[in-house]
Amino acid sequence: MSQTTTLTQPAVPATIEDFMAQAIAMEFEAVERYQELADAMETHNNAEVAALFRKMSVIENKHAEQMLAEMGWSEIPPGTSAQRWEGFESAEVVAMDDIHYLMTPWHALQLALKAEQRAVRFFEALTEAAQSEPVRKAALELLEEEREHVELILGWLKKVPQPDSDWYEDPDPPRYDT
Ligand code: ZN
């Protein structure tokens, strides 16, 4: 399903249009993943964690819409994102494999934190690699935005209890008998 690629120096899109198209696509990917995670948690009656992932999906969606508006686009223009950045897929996306149905808000937030920190590193690299001033500025803005997401999650983390080390022991485990 999800592949872990190491974040290497991304190949930088030359134009601001290409850059934003890629960045917006990445945001929407993050939105989708956070929604999937929320759905998965709901399926397992973990409403608390579902709500946190739902909240992150709303935040990322707002961000993506904002970026579209900035470009004066109603959607990502076709043809702009032909070439994907290296390491692109893994940048802001929580890996489905990391999800456990008994996870607590603390775990969910750790995963979200990792994803957002990856996004920060990603845009940091892009800021340095950018070949043109508009691209560099746009990358810098996104970098700031992602840093805010990290701060937000760190703030939430302070408010949730850290689970015991035996959190994954289910007293009433689900059965998969046929
Ligand atoms: Zn983010």
Side-chain angles (χ1 to χ4, degrees):
M1 190 186 300
S2 65
Q3 275 167 346
T4 327
T5 18
T6 40
L7 276 185
T8 48
Q9 191 80 336
V12 190
T15 68
I16 187 71
E17 284 79 14
D18 278 343
F19 174 79
M20 289 302 281
Q22 295 277 342
I24 292 166
M26 189 172 104
E27 289 298 318
F28 279 125
E29 220 166 285
V31 171
E32 224 171 274
R33 179 51 53 86
Y34 278 128
Q35 280 169 350
E36 279 169 19
L37 293 173
D39 290 346
M41 287 298 109
E42 261 160 31
T43 306
H44 294 297
N45 294 316
N46 197 333
E48 220 180 344
V49 176
L52 282 174
F53 282 137
R54 200 69 72 193
K55 215 182 226 174
M56 280 312 293
S57 81
V58 169
I59 288 169
E60 298 293 357
N61 193 52
K62 225 186 248 171
H63 190 202
E65 295 290 348
Q66 213 179 306
M67 288 155 80
L68 279 176
E70 256 170 55
M71 295 304 288
W73 296 340
S74 56
E75 58 180 42
I76 299 170
T80 38
S81 50
Q83 199 199 334
R84 292 202 137 204
W85 297 332
E86 205 179 323
F88 170 80
E89 257 159 319
S90 58
E92 202 180 355
V93 173
V94 171
M96 272 317 243
D97 304 351
D98 289 341
I99 301 304
H100 188 285
Y101 74 102
L102 285 177
M103 72 172 22
T104 64
W106 187 88
H107 292 106
L109 287 170
Q110 291 292 340
L111 291 181
L113 181 64
K114 262 199 261 169
E116 299 300 328
Q117 283 171 335
R118 262 199 311 272
V120 166
R121 284 201 298 277
F122 184 74
F123 285 117
E124 262 169 4
L126 272 175
T127 316
E128 277 162 32
Q131 311 270 338
S132 79
E133 195 49 23
V135 171
R136 198 189 67 83
K137 268 180 77 180
L140 209 59
E141 261 174 51
L142 292 173
L143 173 60
E144 281 311 311
E145 196 83 28
E146 296 306 338
R147 279 187 178 142
E148 277 172 35
H149 293 172
V150 168
E151 287 305 313
L152 178 76
I153 292 169
L154 286 175
W156 287 350
L157 262 172
K158 280 188 201 142
K159 292 182 212 151
V160 301
Q162 203 169 324
D164 301 334
S165 52
D166 62 351
W167 61 271
Y168 49 83
E169 280 166 29
D170 192 341
D172 181 22
R175 286 168 214 292
Y176 300 106
D177 307 335
T178 46

mmCIF file of all heavy atoms in Angstrom, residues 138-165:
data_model
loop_
_atom_site.group_PDB
_atom_site.id
_atom_site.type_symbol
_atom_site.label_atom_id
_atom_site.label_comp_id
_atom_site.label_asym_id
_atom_site.label_seq_id
_atom_site.Cartn_x
_atom_site.Cartn_y
_atom_site.Cartn_z
ATOM 1 N N ALA A 138 7.271 30.858 -2.210
ATOM 2 C CA ALA A 138 6.095 30.009 -1.996
ATOM 3 C C ALA A 138 6.444 28.842 -1.074
ATOM 4 O O ALA A 138 5.683 28.485 -0.172
ATOM 5 C CB ALA A 138 5.563 29.501 -3.332
ATOM 6 N N ALA A 139 7.631 28.278 -1.290
ATOM 7 C CA ALA A 139 8.077 27.159 -0.456
ATOM 8 C C ALA A 139 8.248 27.619 0.991
ATOM 9 O O ALA A 139 7.913 26.900 1.939
ATOM 10 C CB ALA A 139 9.382 26.586 -1.001
ATOM 11 N N LEU A 140 8.739 28.834 1.136
ATOM 12 C CA LEU A 140 8.965 29.402 2.462
ATOM 13 C C LEU A 140 7.633 29.585 3.206
ATOM 14 O O LEU A 140 7.516 29.290 4.390
ATOM 15 C CB LEU A 140 9.674 30.750 2.307
ATOM 16 C CG LEU A 140 10.583 31.188 3.445
ATOM 17 C CD1 LEU A 140 11.689 30.178 3.672
ATOM 18 C CD2 LEU A 140 11.198 32.560 3.132
ATOM 19 N N GLU A 141 6.626 30.068 2.468
ATOM 20 C CA GLU A 141 5.300 30.264 3.063
ATOM 21 C C GLU A 141 4.714 28.938 3.523
ATOM 22 O O GLU A 141 4.144 28.832 4.606
ATOM 23 C CB GLU A 141 4.357 30.888 2.033
ATOM 24 C CG GLU A 141 4.212 32.397 2.200
ATOM 25 C CD GLU A 141 3.400 32.998 1.078
ATOM 26 O OE1 GLU A 141 2.295 32.480 0.809
ATOM 27 O OE2 GLU A 141 3.873 33.972 0.457
ATOM 28 N N LEU A 142 4.857 27.925 2.677
ATOM 29 C CA LEU A 142 4.317 26.612 3.016
ATOM 30 C C LEU A 142 5.073 26.018 4.198
ATOM 31 O O LEU A 142 4.488 25.359 5.055
ATOM 32 C CB LEU A 142 4.384 25.683 1.810
ATOM 33 C CG LEU A 142 3.444 26.093 0.679
ATOM 34 C CD1 LEU A 142 3.669 25.236 -0.540
ATOM 35 C CD2 LEU A 142 1.997 25.989 1.136
ATOM 36 N N LEU A 143 6.346 26.294 4.224
ATOM 37 C CA LEU A 143 7.175 25.833 5.329
ATOM 38 C C LEU A 143 6.647 26.407 6.649
ATOM 39 O O LEU A 143 6.494 25.687 7.638
ATOM 40 C CB LEU A 143 8.623 26.261 5.086
ATOM 41 C CG LEU A 143 9.631 26.022 6.198
ATOM 42 C CD1 LEU A 143 9.736 24.553 6.535
ATOM 43 C CD2 LEU A 143 11.011 26.547 5.778
ATOM 44 N N GLU A 144 6.346 27.697 6.642
ATOM 45 C CA GLU A 144 5.799 28.355 7.840
ATOM 46 C C GLU A 144 4.480 27.707 8.254
ATOM 47 O O GLU A 144 4.224 27.457 9.430
ATOM 48 C CB GLU A 144 5.584 29.848 7.574
ATOM 49 C CG GLU A 144 6.854 30.664 7.650
ATOM 50 C CD GLU A 144 7.667 30.369 8.908
ATOM 51 O OE1 GLU A 144 7.068 30.384 10.004
ATOM 52 O OE2 GLU A 144 8.874 30.098 8.795
ATOM 53 N N GLU A 145 3.634 27.472 7.253
ATOM 54 C CA GLU A 145 2.326 26.867 7.498
ATOM 55 C C GLU A 145 2.479 25.493 8.153
ATOM 56 O O GLU A 145 1.801 25.158 9.113
ATOM 57 C CB GLU A 145 1.596 26.731 6.160
ATOM 58 C CG GLU A 145 0.130 26.475 6.272
ATOM 59 C CD GLU A 145 -0.681 27.749 6.465
ATOM 60 O OE1 GLU A 145 -0.229 28.825 6.009
ATOM 61 O OE2 GLU A 145 -1.751 27.658 7.079
ATOM 62 N N GLU A 146 3.404 24.705 7.623
ATOM 63 C CA GLU A 146 3.610 23.354 8.164
ATOM 64 C C GLU A 146 4.206 23.407 9.568
ATOM 65 O O GLU A 146 3.915 22.555 10.408
ATOM 66 C CB GLU A 146 4.490 22.519 7.227
ATOM 67 C CG GLU A 146 3.874 22.237 5.849
ATOM 68 C CD GLU A 146 2.496 21.607 5.926
ATOM 69 O OE1 GLU A 146 2.143 20.996 6.952
ATOM 70 O OE2 GLU A 146 1.737 21.739 4.951
ATOM 71 N N ARG A 147 5.038 24.406 9.794
ATOM 72 C CA ARG A 147 5.583 24.572 11.147
ATOM 73 C C ARG A 147 4.462 24.869 12.135
ATOM 74 O O ARG A 147 4.492 24.427 13.282
ATOM 75 C CB ARG A 147 6.605 25.706 11.166
ATOM 76 C CG ARG A 147 7.964 25.277 10.656
ATOM 77 C CD ARG A 147 9.010 26.363 10.848
ATOM 78 N NE ARG A 147 10.318 25.904 10.383
ATOM 79 C CZ ARG A 147 11.201 26.683 9.749
ATOM 80 N NH1 ARG A 147 10.904 27.946 9.521
ATOM 81 N NH2 ARG A 147 12.360 26.193 9.369
ATOM 82 N N GLU A 148 3.461 25.628 11.682
ATOM 83 C CA GLU A 148 2.309 25.902 12.542
ATOM 84 C C GLU A 148 1.539 24.635 12.843
ATOM 85 O O GLU A 148 1.047 24.447 13.955
ATOM 86 C CB GLU A 148 1.379 26.930 11.871
ATOM 87 C CG GLU A 148 1.830 28.364 12.080
ATOM 88 C CD GLU A 148 1.025 29.353 11.251
ATOM 89 O OE1 GLU A 148 -0.183 29.114 11.065
ATOM 90 O OE2 GLU A 148 1.612 30.345 10.787
ATOM 91 N N HIS A 149 1.416 23.759 11.842
ATOM 92 C CA HIS A 149 0.723 22.482 12.067
ATOM 93 C C HIS A 149 1.453 21.668 13.130
ATOM 94 O O HIS A 149 0.841 21.030 13.978
ATOM 95 C CB HIS A 149 0.634 21.664 10.770
ATOM 96 C CG HIS A 149 -0.248 22.289 9.734
ATOM 97 N ND1 HIS A 149 -0.347 21.818 8.451
ATOM 98 C CD2 HIS A 149 -1.082 23.362 9.805
ATOM 99 C CE1 HIS A 149 -1.196 22.574 7.769
ATOM 100 N NE2 HIS A 149 -1.645 23.517 8.563
ATOM 101 N N VAL A 150 2.780 21.690 13.050
ATOM 102 C CA VAL A 150 3.589 20.970 14.042
ATOM 103 C C VAL A 150 3.330 21.534 15.438
ATOM 104 O O VAL A 150 3.100 20.786 16.399
ATOM 105 C CB VAL A 150 5.102 21.045 13.694
ATOM 106 C CG1 VAL A 150 5.958 20.565 14.858
ATOM 107 C CG2 VAL A 150 5.400 20.220 12.442
ATOM 108 N N GLU A 151 3.334 22.854 15.545
ATOM 109 C CA GLU A 151 3.086 23.512 16.837
ATOM 110 C C GLU A 151 1.710 23.144 17.382
ATOM 111 O O GLU A 151 1.534 22.888 18.571
ATOM 112 C CB GLU A 151 3.184 25.037 16.695
ATOM 113 C CG GLU A 151 4.597 25.552 16.531
ATOM 114 C CD GLU A 151 5.518 25.089 17.662
ATOM 115 O OE1 GLU A 151 5.106 25.206 18.837
ATOM 116 O OE2 GLU A 151 6.618 24.592 17.372
ATOM 117 N N LEU A 152 0.730 23.150 16.486
ATOM 118 C CA LEU A 152 -0.642 22.819 16.859
ATOM 119 C C LEU A 152 -0.717 21.420 17.466
ATOM 120 O O LEU A 152 -1.318 21.204 18.530
ATOM 121 C CB LEU A 152 -1.517 22.893 15.600
ATOM 122 C CG LEU A 152 -2.982 22.538 15.725
ATOM 123 C CD1 LEU A 152 -3.732 23.695 16.391
ATOM 124 C CD2 LEU A 152 -3.590 22.271 14.349
ATOM 125 N N ILE A 153 -0.078 20.478 16.804
ATOM 126 C CA ILE A 153 -0.110 19.095 17.280
ATOM 127 C C ILE A 153 0.656 18.959 18.595
ATOM 128 O O ILE A 153 0.220 18.252 19.506
ATOM 129 C CB ILE A 153 0.443 18.144 16.203
ATOM 130 C CG1 ILE A 153 -0.537 18.117 15.022
ATOM 131 C CG2 ILE A 153 0.624 16.738 16.756
ATOM 132 C CD1 ILE A 153 -0.016 17.434 13.794
ATOM 133 N N LEU A 154 1.780 19.657 18.699
ATOM 134 C CA LEU A 154 2.530 19.620 19.957
ATOM 135 C C LEU A 154 1.668 20.155 21.103
ATOM 136 O O LEU A 154 1.717 19.648 22.226
ATOM 137 C CB LEU A 154 3.822 20.437 19.827
ATOM 138 C CG LEU A 154 4.937 19.798 19.002
ATOM 139 C CD1 LEU A 154 6.110 20.761 18.838
ATOM 140 C CD2 LEU A 154 5.414 18.491 19.630
ATOM 141 N N GLY A 155 0.863 21.168 20.800
ATOM 142 C CA GLY A 155 -0.047 21.735 21.797
ATOM 143 C C GLY A 155 -1.092 20.710 22.232
ATOM 144 O O GLY A 155 -1.376 20.553 23.423
ATOM 145 N N TRP A 156 -1.649 19.997 21.273
ATOM 146 C CA TRP A 156 -2.646 18.950 21.585
ATOM 147 C C TRP A 156 -2.000 17.848 22.410
ATOM 148 O O TRP A 156 -2.609 17.304 23.323
ATOM 149 C CB TRP A 156 -3.202 18.347 20.290
ATOM 150 C CG TRP A 156 -4.132 19.232 19.527
ATOM 151 C CD1 TRP A 156 -4.668 20.424 19.958
ATOM 152 C CD2 TRP A 156 -4.629 19.021 18.204
ATOM 153 N NE1 TRP A 156 -5.458 20.954 18.971
ATOM 154 C CE2 TRP A 156 -5.460 20.125 17.887
ATOM 155 C CE3 TRP A 156 -4.460 18.023 17.258
ATOM 156 C CZ2 TRP A 156 -6.114 20.234 16.661
ATOM 157 C CZ3 TRP A 156 -5.119 18.138 16.035
ATOM 158 C CH2 TRP A 156 -5.936 19.227 15.745
ATOM 159 N N LEU A 157 -0.768 17.496 22.029
ATOM 160 C CA LEU A 157 -0.070 16.402 22.713
ATOM 161 C C LEU A 157 0.099 16.674 24.207
ATOM 162 O O LEU A 157 0.076 15.754 25.026
ATOM 163 C CB LEU A 157 1.303 16.170 22.077
ATOM 164 C CG LEU A 157 1.391 15.039 21.068
ATOM 165 C CD1 LEU A 157 2.743 15.037 20.375
ATOM 166 C CD2 LEU A 157 1.115 13.679 21.695
ATOM 167 N N LYS A 158 0.276 17.948 24.543
ATOM 168 C CA LYS A 158 0.443 18.298 25.953
ATOM 169 C C LYS A 158 -0.821 18.017 26.754
ATOM 170 O O LYS A 158 -0.777 17.870 27.963
ATOM 171 C CB LYS A 158 0.786 19.786 26.069
ATOM 172 C CG LYS A 158 2.243 20.077 25.788
ATOM 173 C CD LYS A 158 2.577 21.529 26.114
ATOM 174 C CE LYS A 158 3.834 21.952 25.372
ATOM 175 N NZ LYS A 158 3.758 23.325 24.879
ATOM 176 N N LYS A 159 -1.949 17.983 26.049
ATOM 177 C CA LYS A 159 -3.232 17.841 26.744
ATOM 178 C C LYS A 159 -3.718 16.405 26.860
ATOM 179 O O LYS A 159 -4.705 16.134 27.523
ATOM 180 C CB LYS A 159 -4.301 18.681 26.022
ATOM 181 C CG LYS A 159 -4.042 20.169 26.145
ATOM 182 C CD LYS A 159 -5.147 20.955 25.454
ATOM 183 C CE LYS A 159 -4.619 22.250 24.875
ATOM 184 N NZ LYS A 159 -5.369 22.689 23.697
ATOM 185 N N VAL A 160 -3.057 15.483 26.161
ATOM 186 C CA VAL A 160 -3.528 14.096 26.251
ATOM 187 C C VAL A 160 -2.563 13.263 27.094
ATOM 188 O O VAL A 160 -1.360 13.472 27.070
ATOM 189 C CB VAL A 160 -3.714 13.450 24.856
ATOM 190 C CG1 VAL A 160 -4.704 14.240 24.026
ATOM 191 C CG2 VAL A 160 -2.394 13.310 24.129
ATOM 192 N N PRO A 161 -3.109 12.315 27.851
ATOM 193 C CA PRO A 161 -2.247 11.478 28.692
ATOM 194 C C PRO A 161 -1.396 10.533 27.849
ATOM 195 O O PRO A 161 -1.850 10.035 26.820
ATOM 196 C CB PRO A 161 -3.236 10.694 29.553
ATOM 197 C CG PRO A 161 -4.514 10.705 28.783
ATOM 198 C CD PRO A 161 -4.524 11.952 27.948
ATOM 199 N N GLN A 162 -0.177 10.302 28.297
ATOM 200 C CA GLN A 162 0.691 9.344 27.627
ATOM 201 C C GLN A 162 0.275 7.946 28.075
ATOM 202 O O GLN A 162 0.152 7.692 29.265
ATOM 203 C CB GLN A 162 2.142 9.618 27.985
ATOM 204 C CG GLN A 162 3.103 9.072 26.955
ATOM 205 C CD GLN A 162 4.516 9.582 27.188
ATOM 206 O OE1 GLN A 162 4.711 10.733 27.588
ATOM 207 N NE2 GLN A 162 5.486 8.729 26.957
ATOM 208 N N PRO A 163 0.021 7.044 27.115
ATOM 209 C CA PRO A 163 -0.499 5.719 27.478
ATOM 210 C C PRO A 163 0.545 4.838 28.174
ATOM 211 O O PRO A 163 1.738 5.048 28.024
ATOM 212 C CB PRO A 163 -0.880 5.124 26.131
ATOM 213 C CG PRO A 163 -0.045 5.840 25.139
ATOM 214 C CD PRO A 163 0.193 7.222 25.679
ATOM 215 N N ASP A 164 0.051 3.841 28.903
ATOM 216 C CA ASP A 164 0.941 2.850 29.518
ATOM 217 C C ASP A 164 1.590 2.021 28.426
ATOM 218 O O ASP A 164 1.121 1.985 27.297
ATOM 219 C CB ASP A 164 0.144 1.894 30.429
ATOM 220 C CG ASP A 164 -0.579 2.655 31.516
ATOM 221 O OD1 ASP A 164 -0.103 3.764 31.872
ATOM 222 O OD2 ASP A 164 -1.613 2.156 32.002
ATOM 223 N N SER A 165 2.620 1.285 28.799
ATOM 224 C CA SER A 165 3.323 0.508 27.781
ATOM 225 C C SER A 165 2.518 -0.711 27.324
ATOM 226 O O SER A 165 2.832 -1.327 26.330
ATOM 227 C CB SER A 165 4.697 0.087 28.303
ATOM 228 O OG SER A 165 4.544 -0.538 29.553
#
